Amino acid sequence: MKLSGGELLKEFDVAAAKENIGSEVEISACVHKVRQMSEFAFVVFRTGRHLIQSVYSADECEDSLDGIKEGCYVKAVGEVKADNRASHGFELILRKISLLSSPKDDYPLTVSHKKLGCSLDVNLDLRSVALRNPYERAIFKLQEGVTAGFRNFMMENGFTEIHSPKIVASGAEGGANIFSLDYFGKEAYLAQSPQFYKQTAVAFFDRVFEVAPVYRAEHHSTSRHLNEYIGLDFEMGFINDMYDVMNMETAMLKFMLAYLEEHYKQELDILKVELPVINAIPSVTFLEAIDIVSGGKGGRNKFDLDPDDEIALCKYAEKEFGSEFIFVTHFPSAKRPFYVMDDKEDSRVAYSFDLLFRGLEITTGGQRIHDYNEQVAKMQSMGLDPEEFASYLDIHKYGMPPHGGLGLGLERLVMKLVGLKNIRMASMFPRDINRLEP
Ligand code: ATP
Ligand code: MG
């Protein structure tokens, strides 16, 4: 018999090594690069987050370097030597090195280059190799920082984290972009958003958030749509109006950016990210937005913003307010889902907003209908049968506070933070109309 509870397996601690110049440390890592010089060799190790430079010479090391090449996983012992040219201010003088595992084949990509320099398709086809490249990997480390910043802010502000089902009986967002599946002989769908469930949870938690996959059957291939993306969603009760939701998002983004700056400096450097600065985010109504993008010509019978409008509005916000973000509010009700509350003064527009960042919509949010009769009437006016939404309507039937919330696309935010041209680069294993593997 064996009992668990022993000492934890440690990972290489860069900060501790730096503090202990002259001491010997142990490192388990992948051999990222070997550079053979005449008398010695540079061996660069890749740990889960860092590149650590070491120097091998036959008279300093007990073991030989034979058979140790790029892609091997090794365990080594080295003496920490201060060196300002090395990336962490030190290098390791190798004393021991042993092979743990060696690859069958060489990498098909130049993993050790700063950037891969291959096409998007090759990168995505060879994802398991491409992600070993420090630049590619840093995108997803930064993604971790974005979700951690979001989660920490939410929890500090009284939001409860929830996990809603992704196999559902009906779509929440309408439209044709919904995946259906056979659920023991019944038709079911993949959730287009956690909308119904996060609203439901407001009735008992007041404030909730979720970080989870969202499924959209996008029938076209674009640089900003995936079929599966991660939604950062929140929903909050007792709001006065949608501006309370927008204020919460503004504060959350400020917190998240500060969080990245504090904990992800290394990745921000690798990716050469210029973090945006947020003071206050300007906000225009949809009608004002149309005026801005059409140079005052207005009209054009528009119900939504198209990609060019989003770019133009961000240029405007940058020029007029020095802001890389802009809110657009009061969208036409016609193109917004049935749960959205209409403006009390003018039912043609809704208490619904988008947040644009660097030329792209990253969020849609707004105030939701909380009153049962109002929700039933809205469904009927949109030609929907309330009977079909009976279980959703239970939340209205048994009461809930005025509330609102939003959904933010994780990959879109990371894409724009890093300046990636295609959203696929911000998804570890993207799903698009042509891609189900790897
Ligand atoms: P778009 O009009 O750009 O297609 P949408 O308005 O249909 O997006 P929403 O239903 O408002 O999308 O979803 C909320 C957020 O989720 C969006 O603002 C966006 O950040 C993200 N998002 C939506 N669809 C996708 C997708 N297919 N791939 C990646 N992110 C998405
Ligand atoms: Mg939207």
Side-chain angles (χ1 to χ4, degrees):
M1 193 187 75
K2 258 187 138 184
L3 286 174
S4 142
E7 204 179 315
L8 291 187
L9 194 58
K10 292 214 173 57
E11 58 153 20
F12 183 70
D13 187 336
V14 176
K18 210 171 163 177
E19 295 295 299
N20 288 289
I21 303 292
S23 68
E24 282 196 354
V25 293
E26 195 180 277
I27 181 168
S28 303
C30 183
V31 175
H32 188 62
K33 191 176 184 166
V34 179
R35 205 143 50 95
Q36 195 67 54
M37 314 304 267
S38 54
E39 301 289 309
F40 63 96
F42 284 114
V43 181
V44 179
F45 294 124
R46 189 178 71 238
T47 67
R49 191 175 186 183
H50 304 285
L51 295 181
I52 308 292
Q53 179 170 300
S54 75
V55 182
Y56 170 89
S57 67
D59 37 323
E60 299 264 14
C61 189
E62 277 178 28
D63 306 303
S64 122
L65 215 52
D66 288 351
I68 293 183
K69 55 175 185 147
E70 204 174 292
C72 288
Y73 287 82
V74 298
K75 198 171 199 165
V77 174
E79 184 187 317
V80 184
K81 183 173 159 242
D83 188 325
N84 287 332
R85 291 162 302 180
S87 56
H88 300 283
F90 69 85
E91 60 184 17
L92 301 177
I93 307 300
L94 284 183
R95 300 279 181 242
K96 292 184 201 171
I97 184 160
S98 60
L99 190 62
L100 298 174
S101 148
S102 50
K104 176 180 159 295
D105 286 336
D106 289 342
Y107 292 146
L109 297 169
T110 49
V111 163
S112 65
H113 280 187
K114 273 212 166 122
K115 277 195 173 188
L116 284 175
C118 62
S119 71
L120 177 65
D121 272 336
V122 169
N123 183 324
L124 297 180
D125 285 345
L126 297 171
R127 211 58 174 144
S128 73
V129 179
L131 291 166
R132 299 169 198 225
N133 171 258
Y135 181 93
E136 298 295 324
R137 177 173 81 169
I139 296 170
F140 299 96
K141 195 66 187 174
L142 193 71
Q143 185 190 76
E144 170 198 67
V146 169
T147 49
F150 177 71
R151 180 174 275 117
N152 286 354
F153 176 86
M154 289 284 115
M155 293 183 58
E156 275 183 21
N157 285 281
F159 288 74
T160 296
E161 180 161 16
I162 61 166
H163 304 283
S164 66
K166 301 306 157 207
I167 302 176
V168 296
S170 58
E173 306 301 319
N177 64 353
I178 189 159
F179 285 110
S180 58
L181 62 99
D182 174 42
Y183 192 70
F184 306 113
K186 269 197 213 147
E187 182 157 56
Y189 305 95
L190 290 179
Q192 277 175 312
S193 83
Q195 188 59 35
F196 295 169
Y197 297 96
K198 60 179 184 165
Q199 283 186 264
T200 305
V202 164
F204 49 87
F205 277 138
D206 290 355
R207 297 175 163 206
V208 297
F209 74 98
E210 179 164 358
V211 178
V214 173
Y215 298 93
R216 301 279 173 101
E218 306 289 355
H219 294 281
H220 305 287
S221 178
T222 81
S223 60
R224 59 186 197 285
H225 289 100
L226 296 164
N227 289 331
E228 179 177 49
Y229 69 90
I230 300 296
L232 305 181
D233 274 82
F234 73 71
E235 200 71 20
M236 55 193 281
F238 303 101
I239 61 170
N240 298 298
D241 51 38
M242 68 176 159
Y243 294 98
D244 285 330
V245 179
M246 291 157 63
N247 283 337
M248 192 62 77
E249 178 164 37
T250 304
M252 183 278 288
L253 288 169
K254 274 190 198 173
F255 179 96
M256 180 193 280
L257 292 171
Y259 190 85
L260 292 179
E261 192 136 330
E262 185 177 348
H263 300 286
Y264 292 84
K265 181 87 182 59
Q266 175 172 309
E267 285 70 28
L268 294 172
D269 285 347
I270 294 174
L271 299 167
K272 299 199 167 49
V273 171
E274 288 260 5
L275 286 179
V277 178
I278 299 181
N279 296 311
I281 299 181
S283 151
V284 294
T285 65
F286 180 77
L287 282 181
E288 287 167 344
I290 294 300
D291 261 355
I292 292 163
V293 300
S294 66
K297 293 195 197 77
R300 286 197 285 159
N301 256 342
K302 279 198 149 176
F303 293 98
D304 205 351
L305 301 171
D306 53 40
D308 286 343
D309 299 335
E310 294 177 3
I311 293 171
L313 284 166
C314 286
K315 276 201 183 127
Y316 164 85
E318 176 92 62
K319 187 161 158 262
E320 296 294 320
F321 305 98
S323 170
E324 295 194 87
F325 294 85
I326 182 169
F327 279 113
V328 181
T329 63
H330 299 87
F331 276 81
S333 327
K335 287 286 158 74
R336 297 271 143 163
F338 62 78
Y339 54 78
V340 173
M341 187 185 277
D342 289 340
D343 189 319
K344 296 288 174 232
E345 254 109 70
D346 179 358
S347 67
R348 288 171 304 173
V349 297
Y351 293 141
S352 177
F353 67 84
D354 277 8
L355 178 64
L356 315 181
F357 172 47
R358 295 185 175 164
L360 182 67
E361 173 195 326
I362 58 164
T363 293
T364 290
Q367 181 162 5
R368 330 300 192 184
I369 299 171
H370 55 270
D371 179 74
Y372 180 82
N373 292 328
E374 189 179 335
Q375 183 61 82
V376 168
K378 177 94 186 256
M379 284 173 169
Q380 283 163 343
S381 77
M382 292 178 82
L384 297 167
D385 179 4
E387 285 290 305
E388 278 181 29
F389 295 93
S391 85
Y392 170 63
L393 282 168
D394 273 354
I395 60 176
H396 302 78
K397 200 162 161 185
Y398 299 114
M400 59 189 319
H403 64 285
L406 57 78
L408 167 67
L410 173 63
E411 294 84 354
R412 284 199 186 176
L413 176 56
V414 170
M415 169 190 178
K416 284 293 160 183
L417 279 175
V418 179
L420 303 170
K421 294 213 164 55
N422 194 304
I423 193 167
R424 287 161 184 75
M425 298 292 291
S427 171
M428 205 178 269
F429 298 103
R431 295 290 173 254
D432 67 23
I433 193 159
N434 300 312
R435 189 174 290 279
L436 191 55
E437 273 188 316

